[in-house]
Amino acid sequence: MPMRALALTALLLGSAACRTPRPEAGAAARADLSVATCELPSSPAELIPLAEAPIPGELHERFDLPDSPAWWAPAPEDAERQRYREALVARLGAGGVEARALLARSREQFAAQALPLRREAENNARVLEGGAGTVGPTSCLEWRLFQRQARRFPMLEHPTEFSAYVLRGQGRLHVYFSGADRAGAKLRSEVTERVAAEVARGFVLVAHAHNHNFMFDRVPGDRLWTTPETVNVVGGGVAPSLTDVQAYRGMHEALGLQGAWVTNGLETGRYTAGDFTRLSAWEPVP
């Protein structure tokens, strides 16, 4: 399911003057040790508290990592990733898990729907036709973020979404990871205010990352927001949804967002700020 972006402006325009907390003692050292194998530290530099009660399974974490080339290299084909790939192939066939096949399937399924759902086909078509973005193997950083959420909630048996802001500066990566027990992401001002403060002191918001779930055995009214029209929509495509693009445009304006990554754990669609205007965004129905 796409990110819920309707309250984005209010969240992003929260105070950018809050002071970003310093990493806990030893956090950077632990991160420096873990980067040799491109693994996130077992504990974040900060667990971000919320002013209101969290939704089930909700957490927000900040990681402070050395900016090493290892994070940007293709993800390792470790045992967890192999099992995930094999389970998908068992459901969809070897060709069915390829990014272009998933994009084509989503385009056809959405194109057959009534408006406004039909418009979700637009970005799938644009990516397939080379009009926006690039698609390639998931990077190590993208996989580790996906893996962190998958270890909390198995992605195929209990699909959920994570989202993450990735900032770069001073030889470091600061990653703000969010996830909950839901298909969809909830933007919180406690996170966006910290991101804004990082940008104000010179860090660059290089990307916003999130995953698009595979969703099997859907039933109208289930936890995946399934309707009779979407009961056969498997998902897993790496084109951004209309609400994703609406959110990206707001983040670009408010925070200088430079790019966006949409991953299914195997492949990732990567989009530049220029792509945000080439892609279709959600618009209210007149």
Side-chain angles (χ1 to χ4, degrees), residues 194-206:
R194 283 168 167 77
V195 173
E198 298 258 27
V199 171
R201 66 190 186 93
F203 276 73
V204 175
L205 181 54
V206 295

Side-chain angles (χ1 to χ4, degrees), residues 238-254:
V238 295
S241 69
L242 300 175
T243 50
D244 290 342
V245 178
Q246 182 201 25
Y248 298 153
R249 291 178 183 179
M251 294 176 193
H252 177 66
E253 181 177 355

Side-chain angles (χ1 to χ4, degrees), residues 218-228:
R218 302 181 71 177
V219 177
D222 63 14
R223 58 179 297 277
L224 300 175
W225 312 92
T226 303
T227 65

Side-chain angles (χ1 to χ4, degrees), residues 30-177:
R30 289 198 304 274
D32 288 332
L33 289 173
S34 69
V35 76
T37 53
C38 185
E39 294 181 357
L40 292 174
S42 58
S43 299
E46 180 189 11
L47 186 62
I48 299 171
L50 299 176
E52 62 181 63
I55 63 176
E58 183 178 7
L59 91 165
H60 304 275
E61 302 173 311
R62 179 175 62 86
F63 290 92
D64 181 5
L65 309 167
D67 188 356
S68 164
W71 296 112
W72 314 102
E77 196 65 28
D78 57 25
E80 284 181 67
R81 200 152 178 263
Q82 289 176 351
R83 288 194 297 269
Y84 174 64
R85 186 190 301 276
E86 290 166 1
L88 287 171
V89 169
R91 289 268 196 165
L92 298 172
V97 302
E98 294 178 357
R100 290 191 63 82
L102 291 165
L103 289 167
R105 179 174 182 159
S106 293
R107 178 184 60 182
E108 292 165 7
Q109 289 177 321
F110 284 123
Q113 305 300 327
L115 290 171
L117 193 59
R118 184 191 309 159
R119 293 196 59 234
E120 292 291 350
E122 295 175 13
N123 289 336
N124 289 281
R126 206 152 287 138
V127 176
L128 274 169
E129 294 163 4
T134 59
V135 177
T138 294
S139 73
C140 192
L141 177 57
E142 292 159 350
W143 168 244
R144 293 309 183 195
L145 296 171
F146 181 96
Q147 183 184 52
R148 190 164 188 84
Q149 183 69 1
R151 286 177 175 177
R152 302 178 67 229
F153 304 102
M155 282 294 184
L156 298 185
E157 296 82 6
H158 192 84
T160 62
E161 275 189 33
F162 78 86
S163 67
Y165 296 93
V166 180
L167 297 109
R168 208 171 187 182
Q170 304 170 21
R172 309 297 296 180
L173 293 180
H174 289 178
V175 179
Y176 289 79
F177 174 92

